[in-house]
Amino acid sequence: MRRALFLIVTLVGLGAVNTPAYSIGCLSGGAAGALAGHMAGHGVLGAVGGCIAGHSWNKHQMRKQDLENRSAYETRRQSYDPNYRSPYTN
């Protein structure tokens, strides 16, 4: 009972501290890492490593998507206004 309560409080705390997209990466990576770590006998260490890896992978995917959206916006904007200069480039 005590362990379940600790797990619930930890998950709610993670959700409250981080933005939803980042916590999703951490939780999914942590779950996968905990499973792999459990098989190797290091469940907590695997969960921490999985959380770090999942967070960084999710951040990478979000940056990639933002860059694609920015490129599409600039292309569309330049088709309407040939004199448009992007504020993101020098």
Side-chain angles (χ1 to χ4, degrees), residues 6 14-15 17 25 27-28 31 44 48-49 54 59-60 62 66 78-79 81 83:
F6 177 75
L14 281 175
V17 172
L27 291 176
S28 63
V44 175
V48 171
K59 196 162 82 171
H60 169 75
M62 288 178 59
D66 288 344
Q78 286 175 347
S79 71
D81 182 13
N83 296 325

Side-chain angles (χ1 to χ4, degrees), residues 17-71:
V17 172
N18 293 333
T19 60
Y22 293 134
S23 63
I24 287 174
C26 179
L27 291 176
S28 63
L35 179 64
H38 175 72
M39 297 297 180
H42 301 286
V44 175
L45 187 61
V48 171
C51 178
I52 293 169
H55 174 76
S56 62
W57 179 255
N58 193 340
K59 196 162 82 171
H60 169 75
Q61 291 295 331
M62 288 178 59
R63 283 184 182 167
K64 184 177 174 184
Q65 185 178 10
D66 288 344
L67 183 61
E68 290 172 359
N69 290 343
R70 185 184 314 156
S71 298

